[in-house]
Amino acid sequence: MKILTTVKRVTDPDMKVKIKPDGSGIVTDGVEYKMNSFDEYGVEEAIKLKEAHGGEVVVVSVGPKAATKEIRTALAMGADRGILIETDEDLDSDAVARLLAEVVKAEAPEVVLMGKQAVDSDRNQAGQMLASYLGYPQATFAYSLEVADGWATVGREVDGGTSTKRVKLPAIVTADLRLNEPRYASLPGIIKAKRKPLDTKSPSDLGVDITNKVNVLKFEAPPARAAGQIVDSVDALIEKLRDEAKAL
Amino acid sequence: MSNVLVVAEHVEKTLRKVTLSTINFAKQAAALTGGQVHVLVLGEGVDTLANELASGGYGANVVHVSNSATFTNYLAENYAPAVAQVAKDLDASVVCAPSSTFGKDLVPRVAALLGAGMVSDAIEVFDDGGLRFKRPLWADNVITTVEVTTPFKAVTVRATAFDALEGEAAAELKTLDLGAAASDSAEFVSFDQVKSDRPELTDADVIVAGGRGLKSAENFGMLEQLADLLGGAVGASRAAADSGYAPNDWQIGQTGKVVAPNLYFAVAISGAIQHLAGMKGSKTIVAINKDAEAPIFQVADYGLVADAFTVVPELTEKLQAAGLGK
Ligand SMILES: Cc1cc2nc3c(=O)[nH]c(=O)nc-3n(C[C@H](O)[C@H](O)[C@H](O)COP(=O)(O)OP(=O)(O)OC[C@H]3O[C@@H](n4cnc5c(N)ncnc54)[C@H](O)[C@@H]3O)c2cc1C
Ligand SMILES: Nc1ncnc2c1ncn2[C@@H]1O[C@H](COP(=O)(O)O)[C@@H](O)[C@H]1O
């Protein structure tokens, strides 16, 4: 079974982002980058599928040359081959989906595993858009995945509970955090990854116009909450909630 | 082309309140585009619900209902082509749904069908030489202002940023026959609803949320007692949900639910940025944590540095004694 999985290079989620004083973007000096957390779950699931069914895992990233690092991380975890679609532009999810659609058409995988959301731009769009452009079914927010007889059965985390959906392959599946426990890259894995094939393509190689449909005009900080107070007892808390906050 | 189309969300034939917030967003957008607010209800046996939406005075101009076996259970593959078709027929330049798992699943698929640029989690819409939207990102640490350059604009709406309207004029109710065929590549299997008598997290006036510090599912019982006394809902941090102390559906944060109740109790929650992203908009925040250095105290209006196992039962008892429950 051929599985394609996507990884986005994002700012380290444990770091606080700073906004440029002129509101034109975020400060990138000294910022650390890593693989989008949800994509780690996607890569792990892709490798598990390969371990269970045989086949190949192809990992794709759209981003700058430096995103080679995130592709190598996925290769070190156990993916077989990488493709970087190189661009320095900050793309919207729609442009990413249109680029990925060309790669999927060329590679013809049976399952495409993605993260449900990139934790920098928090959009939660690319998987569903990719499915739509390809006319494939989609199973988002996956916490469980089983593949048999050309169909995938996917447990999904939805508001109000969980739901189960079956999709005919080829399909797009987006990972939620409880899908699996992503493995760490082992030292031999890291060494092996250096020799695994990694192709670089440009958006124009794929014939895709990457003009964004959504333009960001301004970045600003959210309103800060006023500093609160420490109370020293339950009685004091009740009094504050009742008389000051009028919350009871 | 200036109308605004809202896709109504319902579960088991009950309207979700997040739809009403989305209608308020749509009304504000329509005032800027000079169009009308159309609401689309897809389902089977949903006439009563559509009627309630039309007569309720929630701010819509027209409510369209389409009953079909294709729509009995929600599937993006069946809903998206129908929504895109209706958007074209109505000349709806803005197509929106709540930013719930339903809207997040559906709207991007519709956007691609319409060639629309998409805005996730809109918290504001205004005009500045064209429609502009504000949306949070980076776990709500940044707000961006965006423009969408395509004729169709797809939006998911963060419900906590828009109140439900009441007392507006009733809407016209129309029946649509979309003659939609079901996809042969996607099947609905089941929906396992977490049954609860408590209000939904996204609607609740009071939320009592617990973290990993509670150490077990049984210990969440004391939060449930406090929540029940106050007529509230119970929430959880991701660490608590991951540890099996609470259902996943209770998770609040960047990757869970975004809530903004009147009163939020964070009990034994450290206050990681991913958790804060889901509750910073609450009106009054109370933090109970035994670690005075916990970051949750930086956003709390009232902090109590104490052991949750002592003070939560004490709080419940004293509120009850003072007759301060609901
Ligand atoms: C991509 C990504 C997405 C994420 N999304 C979310 C999300 O949506 N929501 C979310 O919540 N998290 C999310 N997280 C996880 C987040 O980073 C934190 O790990 C998590 O919020 C921590 O949960 P916690 O505060 O319950 O646990 P901890 O950080 O372990 O904190 C436990 C707290 O309990 C206190 N405590 C212990 N015992 C007691 C006691 N007896 N009385 C009082 N206090 C006590 C401790 O002092 C401590 O502050 C995400 C992480 C990532 C990487
Ligand atoms: N630049 C990118 N390169 C590779 N994959 C991406 C990129 N952007 C988004 N994705 C994938 O799409 C998912 C959803 O992204 P988003 O719609 O941006 O929230 C991510 O978890 C990734 O798997």
Side-chain angles (χ1 to χ4, degrees), chain B residues 211-212 237-238 251-252 254-255 268 270 274-275 289 307-308:
Chain B
R212 176 153 48 196
S237 71
R238 178 182 160 207
Q251 183 183 316
I252 290 165
Q254 183 189 17
T255 56
S270 60
Q274 293 91 356
H275 186 78
N289 197 303
D307 186 336

Side-chain angles (χ1 to χ4, degrees), chain B:
Chain B
M1 199 162 108
S2 61
N3 288 322
V4 179
L5 177 64
V6 177
V7 187
E9 176 173 0
H10 50 89
V11 176
E12 317 264 278
K13 297 194 173 56
T14 321
L15 185 72
R16 285 200 71 206
K17 219 179 143 193
V18 286
T19 303
L20 303 182
S21 301
T22 308
I23 294 174
N24 183 2
F25 161 87
K27 189 157 189 280
Q28 294 181 27
L32 302 170
T33 60
Q36 290 204 312
V37 177
H38 294 259
V39 178
L40 176 62
V41 186
L42 299 177
E44 195 185 28
V46 286
D47 284 323
T48 313
L49 192 153
N51 227 324
E52 179 203 327
L53 260 175
S55 60
Y58 300 122
N61 298 105
V62 188
V63 174
H64 306 265
V65 57
S66 183
N67 283 289
S68 157
T70 303
F71 303 136
T72 308
N73 292 299
Y74 164 72
L75 282 174
E77 292 76 2
N78 294 340
Y79 269 48
V83 173
Q85 187 56 50
V86 173
K88 285 181 191 158
D89 292 347
L90 292 174
D91 277 341
S93 54
V94 178
V95 181
C96 57
S99 188
S100 53
T101 52
F102 162 81
K104 288 173 179 173
D105 187 59
L106 173 66
V107 178
R109 197 167 175 106
V110 174
L113 291 175
L114 293 171
M118 176 170 168
V119 179
S120 295
D121 299 308
I123 55 169
E124 213 179 304
V125 57
F126 60 103
D127 194 300
D128 184 21
L131 271 195
R132 301 286 183 265
F133 305 88
K134 286 197 181 192
R135 64 170 301 259
L137 61 164
W138 267 293
D140 282 35
N141 284 297
V142 179
I143 310 284
T144 51
T145 300
V146 301
E147 65 170 351
V148 182
T149 59
T150 48
F152 286 106
K153 298 162 183 35
V155 181
T156 56
V157 176
R158 185 173 278 192
T160 51
F162 299 90
D163 291 331
L165 297 173
E166 275 167 25
E168 304 283 323
E172 191 186 338
L173 184 62
K174 287 188 176 170
T175 305
L176 279 181
D177 182 4
L178 295 169
S183 160
D184 57 10
S185 60
E187 287 172 6
F188 170 87
V189 179
S190 61
F191 172 53
D192 296 307
Q193 198 170 13
V194 179
K195 296 262 188 264
S196 167
D197 295 332
R198 298 191 186 97
E200 270 196 68
L201 274 171
T202 44
D203 297 345
D205 199 41
V206 177
I207 293 175
V208 184
R212 176 153 48 196
L214 289 178
K215 296 187 181 67
S216 74
E218 294 72 56
N219 289 338
F220 261 74
M222 66 183 187
L223 303 195
E224 294 178 38
Q225 283 172 6
L226 176 57
D228 289 343
L229 177 70
L230 298 172
V234 185
S237 71
R238 178 182 160 207
D242 277 357
S243 309
Y245 307 165
N248 297 341
D249 180 53
W250 287 7
Q251 183 183 316
I252 290 165
Q254 183 189 17
T255 56
K257 293 199 173 68
V258 176
V259 299
N262 238 333
L263 181 56
Y264 188 92
F265 290 90
V267 183
I269 291 177
S270 60
I273 56 166
Q274 293 91 356
H275 186 78
L276 302 186
M279 45 66 79
K280 262 193 314 195
S282 305
K283 188 146 178 279
T284 300
I285 297 174
V286 175
I288 298 175
N289 197 303
K290 65 181 184 188
D291 174 9
E293 302 298 316
I296 190 73
F297 288 119
Q298 288 161 23
V299 301
D301 298 281
Y302 304 109
L304 190 54
V305 182
D307 186 336
F309 298 110
T310 325
V311 295
V312 174
E314 183 188 341
L315 179 60
T316 309
E317 226 165 80
K318 287 185 166 162
L319 285 173
Q320 202 158 19
L324 287 168
K326 292 274 150 82

Side-chain angles (χ1 to χ4, degrees), chain A residues 182-203:
Chain A
R183 69 192 70 189
Y184 289 102
S186 65
L187 195 59
I190 294 169
I191 294 165
K192 258 203 222 155
K194 292 191 177 131
R195 288 194 303 270
K196 288 183 177 172
L198 200 169
D199 269 357
T200 300
K201 289 189 164 71
S202 71

Side-chain angles (χ1 to χ4, degrees), chain A residues 6-8 36 39 62 93 96 114-115 117-118 123-126:
Chain A
T6 55
V7 299
K8 185 180 184 189
N36 178 38
D39 298 346
V62 179
S93 299
V96 170
M114 303 171 72
Q117 137 188 10
R123 286 188 292 242
N124 200 325
Q125 301 175 1

Side-chain angles (χ1 to χ4, degrees), chain A:
Chain A
M1 179 158 61
K2 189 164 178 179
I3 307 133
L4 191 139
T5 182
T6 55
V7 299
K8 185 180 184 189
R9 176 179 169 83
V10 299
T11 51
D12 182 347
D14 293 329
M15 192 204 63
K16 188 150 167 60
V17 288
K18 291 201 205 82
I19 298 161
K20 289 184 189 162
D22 67 357
S24 64
I26 64 150
V27 176
T28 50
D29 281 352
V31 166
E32 306 268 331
Y33 292 85
K34 56 173 290 198
M35 186 192 302
N36 178 38
S37 321
F38 289 99
D39 298 346
E40 294 176 19
Y41 297 81
V43 171
E44 173 64 32
E45 200 64 18
I47 296 168
K48 280 171 68 178
L49 278 180
K50 181 182 101 167
E51 286 167 352
H53 301 271
E56 186 190 23
V57 176
V58 181
V59 53
V60 186
S61 188
V62 179
K65 187 97 215 155
T68 313
K69 179 178 143 253
E70 282 65 40
I71 295 179
R72 291 273 177 220
T73 304
L75 295 175
M77 287 169 74
D80 298 291
R81 152 165 92 78
I83 301 172
L84 171 67
I85 303 166
E86 193 179 340
T87 170
D88 288 329
E89 300 294 319
D90 196 1
L91 301 182
D92 61 18
S93 299
D94 179 80
V96 170
R98 286 183 293 112
L99 287 166
L100 292 175
E102 294 310 314
V103 179
V104 171
K105 280 183 214 159
E107 294 283 344
E110 281 158 275
V111 180
V112 178
L113 269 159
M114 303 171 72
K116 77 164 178 181
Q117 137 188 10
V119 297
D120 53 355
S121 45
D122 281 338
R123 286 188 292 242
N124 200 325
Q125 301 175 1
Q128 299 85 313
M129 287 177 167
L130 175 61
S132 193
Y133 280 124
L134 294 167
Y136 288 5
Q138 69 191 43
T140 51
F141 322 133
Y143 72 85
S144 71
L145 169 65
E146 266 170 57
V147 172
D149 306 322
W151 285 73
T153 304
V154 183
R156 305 177 55 233
E157 289 195 14
V158 297
D159 291 350
T162 56
S163 93
T164 305
K165 178 175 184 175
R166 278 174 33 91
V167 286
K168 193 175 176 183
L169 306 183
I172 311 290
V173 177
T174 75
D176 215 320
L177 295 172
R178 278 167 277 262
L179 184 56
N180 53 45
E181 281 285 338
R183 69 192 70 189
Y184 289 102
S186 65
L187 195 59
I190 294 169
I191 294 165
K192 258 203 222 155
K194 292 191 177 131
R195 288 194 303 270
K196 288 183 177 172
L198 200 169
D199 269 357
T200 300
K201 289 189 164 71
S202 71
S204 54
D205 291 340
L206 298 170
V208 176
D209 170 5
I210 54 168
T211 310
N212 280 340
K213 291 173 178 164
V214 180
N215 293 322
V216 181
L217 305 175
K218 188 176 153 199
F219 292 72
E220 62 191 315
R225 280 190 81 91
Q229 45 186 308
I230 296 289
V231 294
D232 58 10
S233 68
V234 168
D235 294 317
L237 177 63
I238 292 175
E239 192 191 309
K240 293 280 184 191
L241 287 177
R242 188 186 52 204
D243 302 339
E244 195 175 85
K246 311 228 180 295
L248 291 173

